[in-house]
Amino acid sequence: MAWRELPGCRYGFLKGHGLVISDRLLRSWLRCPRKAWQDLHGDPTQRAWHPQRAVQLGQEQQCLSRYGARRGLTMARGAAEAFQGAAAIQGLRLLAREEHLQLRGRAPLLLRRDAESRLGPWSYVPLLVRTGHFINREQRLCLAFLGRLLRAFQGRCPSHGLMLSTGGDCQQVSLDPLQPQLDELLAEMALGLSQPHAPDLIAERKRCAICCWRQPCNAHAAASGHLGDVSGVGAGRRRQLIRLRIHNVAELARSDPDWLGQALAQQGHPSQADHHNALAAALVLQARSQQSQRVQRRPGGAPSARSSLTARLHRAPGVLFYDIEADPDARENYLHGFLIQTRQDPGAPLDLTPDPTGPSPRHHPILCLPHHGDERCWQRIHRLLRRFPGWPLLHYGETERVELLRLAHRVGTGTDLREELKQRLVDVHQLVRQQWVLPLSSYGLKSVATWLGFRWRHPNGEGARAVLWWRHWRRHGHRHDLRRILDYNQDDCQATRVVVAWLLAQEQAPCPKLVGDAVGA
């Protein structure tokens, strides 16, 4: 059956109908059972909106519009059109009851097929939009869930569903083999969601960065010493440590690196003993840094006089801080931002510490719209780089290096010019990881620069939100959306500058301090 409005909250229990499981709750459980439990039972005041879902819905709508236009489909809406045999129905909300469960969901798109149903000599199959290169378990089960809802609506479960990629390819997925898995999943959810306490945190804590419950979960992880909060510990490594009876950060910090290296080698490949010893030493050092909240110089991480960042910047008239803003779903880099920092005193070391009384570095954004093409985008970037010959290009993370060199290659730039560009690019993130152990669970720019005291002008600024601003600007042309993007990019460049200033200060100090108590600790 279809419904227009269902009384009660988005997630929860309806009197007389038992637990309500929606397609959103199903997706939450598949990604993280704790998130689904908190969707149902959590304190709403602790829930913080994240733009990732809005970005995904926008991408879904674009894909469906392109798909319908290519096939000449008129997108109908509502159950009445289904009973009239519309070729395509978009956004139909469906409802089904199974024992003590009530299932409901929204079908992004239903396509008519010639197969008898209670609607008439036709029936519908569900279509979902997927991101990524492959169809994963979550997407298959969500498609099976829509098939279950359609069974209640049209009297038969479709034998297959369709999965549409962002590139426009459509692939059939057989639904019949998925029904037993779906039954098990629904039973598991009914049991887990009825418990009085939230499930454990997931092992792969990187997913928590885009979750609306990240703040209470981060607090819980910190209080419990969750191993997933140690930089370098993923789901597999956490399982290994738990098998060795290391259950939290404190126990990892107390571990003997030599013993841990041998134990990891016995669990893995004994022939790779050197690798496991180095890994164990790095994990214990990271845990100790996070436990004590102090910075530590990484063993062997002190740069030589010739390879230091100070030496690389010594003769440069200035430096360029570089950051890209991208829409990964559309596979486009829409903004290349440069912060131009000129050396004020040619005879003195380069000073990057913020000076409220001095001139501010100039931000030079290069906006690259899709219709500009690679040639025009590269010409504008190359023109800027030629104005500052030999100036180092400082960026945080490998994205900028990879994408800039890839762009240069696509437009047919000569080998010599690309080689020169490689020599100018300096990955600040790599330098931080090679030289220092920070008391942080993440070495991303937001984490490191915030720890150093930097604050973004938009407190909730992040990559997904910038993508949302970008798409709003493309669609509506509001200047404030573009202004936010430019501010965010400039702040990313400024944040990179703050990290570089800290690295230079450590190199130039007569006796580098382990400044855990001097910086944000």
Side-chain angles (χ1 to χ4, degrees):
M1 68 179 68
W3 91 96
R4 291 185 178 274
E5 185 176 353
L6 195 65
C9 59
R10 179 181 299 166
Y11 311 108
F13 294 86
L14 288 181
K15 188 174 180 180
H17 298 298
L19 176 65
V20 178
I21 295 183
S22 70
D23 52 345
R24 291 187 64 179
L25 197 61
L26 183 79
R27 281 196 302 269
S28 292
W29 182 271
L30 287 166
R31 294 172 187 177
C32 172
R34 186 182 181 88
K35 178 184 184 304
W37 190 94
Q38 294 196 118
D39 285 342
L40 194 60
H41 303 289
D43 181 357
T45 62
Q46 294 186 332
R47 186 185 182 107
W49 181 81
H50 192 278
Q52 185 67 27
R53 179 61 181 161
V55 170
Q56 289 174 345
L57 288 174
Q59 184 71 14
E60 174 187 286
Q61 184 59 45
Q62 288 181 5
C63 290
L64 293 178
S65 297
R66 288 196 297 265
Y67 179 80
R70 283 198 305 268
R71 293 179 170 263
L73 295 174
T74 300
M75 302 290 191
R77 291 182 179 273
E81 285 77 3
F83 283 96
Q84 295 171 8
I89 301 176
Q90 190 172 9
L92 184 64
R93 298 181 182 275
L94 300 167
L95 179 67
R97 291 189 178 92
E98 296 189 0
E99 296 183 0
H100 300 295
L101 293 180
Q102 187 169 140
L103 312 179
R104 61 173 179 166
R106 168 189 165 274
L109 187 64
L110 299 176
L111 297 177
R112 188 184 64 194
R113 292 291 183 265
D114 294 330
E116 191 77 27
S117 74
R118 70 168 57 152
L119 303 176
W122 64 84
S123 63
Y124 290 91
V125 297
L127 179 145
L128 281 180
V129 176
R130 69 172 172 86
T131 55
H133 297 292
F134 305 102
I135 303 174
N136 58 33
R137 177 173 179 263
E138 175 193 323
Q139 293 161 349
R140 292 179 186 275
L141 287 172
C142 286
L143 203 56
F145 184 79
L146 289 178
R148 185 75 61 90
L149 292 174
L150 273 173
R151 183 177 67 184
F153 175 65
Q154 64 186 14
R156 63 173 295 165
C157 183
S159 62
H160 69 276
L162 299 172
M163 198 65 71
L164 177 66
S165 72
T166 54
D169 298 326
C170 205
Q171 186 175 345
Q172 278 195 13
V173 176
S174 179
L175 300 186
D176 292 337
L178 295 171
Q179 296 306 321
Q181 295 182 47
L182 182 59
D183 288 332
E184 292 180 10
L185 177 63
L186 293 175
E188 176 188 309
M189 289 181 66
L191 179 62
L193 293 173
S194 64
Q195 299 302 310
H197 302 293
D200 291 336
L201 292 164
I202 59 172
E204 193 57 68
R205 293 270 292 135
K206 289 182 180 178
R207 300 183 195 174
C208 301
I210 60 172
C211 178
C212 57
W213 297 103
R214 60 192 177 279
Q215 293 174 359
C217 286
N218 286 344
H220 177 76
S224 62
H226 193 274
L227 284 170
D229 270 8
V230 177
S231 179
V233 176
R237 192 69 64 203
R238 179 172 177 265
R239 286 193 295 269
Q240 281 186 307
L241 294 173
I242 289 175
R243 283 198 293 268
L244 296 172
R245 299 187 179 182
I246 299 173
H247 299 91
N248 53 51
V249 177
E251 291 178 355
L252 179 58
R254 291 195 297 266
S255 300
D256 176 64
D258 294 334
W259 167 82
L260 182 57
Q262 294 174 5
L264 290 175
Q266 290 175 358
Q267 288 193 18
H269 298 283
S271 61
Q272 298 178 349
D274 290 343
H275 165 74
H276 291 294
N277 288 335
L279 173 65
L283 292 179
V284 172
L285 189 61
Q286 181 65 50
R288 289 174 179 174
S289 176
Q290 291 180 218
Q291 187 77 359
S292 65
Q293 285 296 296
R294 290 184 62 84
V295 184
Q296 299 187 51
R297 171 81 76 176
R298 196 173 293 279
S304 65
R306 303 183 66 177
S307 65
S308 69
L309 188 57
T310 304
R312 295 196 68 169
L313 307 184
H314 178 64
R315 297 184 180 277
V319 295
L320 300 172
F321 298 97
Y322 176 42
D323 184 74
I324 288 176
E325 304 302 333
D327 185 342
D329 292 329
R331 294 183 177 86
E332 62 182 29
N333 300 317
Y334 58 84
L335 179 65
H336 297 256
F338 298 86
L339 195 69
I340 304 169
Q341 172 84 51
T342 305
R343 185 189 294 274
Q344 298 301 312
D345 184 353
L350 185 64
D351 185 9
L352 299 178
T353 54
D355 182 4
T357 63
S360 300
R362 184 161 57 89
H363 182 230
H364 189 107
I366 296 177
L367 201 62
C368 295
L369 298 174
H371 65 270
H372 290 164
D374 288 345
E375 287 283 353
R376 182 176 172 185
C377 181
W378 170 251
Q379 287 174 4
R380 295 171 66 195
I381 294 173
H382 185 47
R383 191 181 305 127
L384 174 71
L385 297 179
R386 282 188 310 187
R387 288 172 49 198
F388 307 101
W391 286 32
L393 270 168
L394 299 165
H395 58 95
Y396 202 95
E398 64 178 7
T399 299
E400 282 70 22
R401 177 185 183 87
V402 170
E403 293 298 330
L404 187 60
L405 292 174
R406 187 176 290 165
L407 175 62
H409 179 74
R410 283 201 306 267
V411 300
T413 304
T415 305
D416 292 344
L417 184 55
R418 292 205 306 274
E419 193 59 36
E420 178 195 346
L421 198 55
K422 288 181 185 178
Q423 298 304 316
R424 294 177 65 174
L425 288 160
V426 180
D427 187 350
V428 180
H429 173 259
Q430 188 179 56
L431 294 178
V432 173
R433 293 302 302 255
Q434 287 175 346
Q435 299 175 15
W436 295 96
V437 182
L438 306 182
L440 303 171
S441 59
S442 167
Y443 282 71
L445 179 60
K446 297 290 185 304
S447 179
V448 175
T450 299
W451 174 73
L452 289 171
F454 183 79
R455 298 294 179 265
W456 274 255
R457 275 172 281 184
H458 300 283
N460 295 322
E462 53 195 312
R465 197 174 297 258
V467 171
L468 201 58
W469 292 335
W470 169 248
R471 292 181 180 178
H472 282 178
W473 179 74
R474 290 285 305 279
R475 184 174 181 179
H476 304 292
H478 295 158
R479 291 179 61 86
H480 67 271
D481 285 325
L482 182 59
R483 182 70 264 167
R484 286 171 178 168
I485 294 169
L486 298 178
D487 288 347
Y488 177 70
N489 180 262
Q490 183 176 7
D491 285 350
D492 277 356
C493 292
Q494 290 280 17
T496 305
R497 177 178 176 237
V498 167
V499 179
V500 172
W502 182 81
L503 285 173
L504 289 174
Q506 306 314 304
E507 289 184 359
Q508 294 166 5
C511 181
K513 296 187 298 180
L514 302 183
V515 290
D517 55 348
V519 182

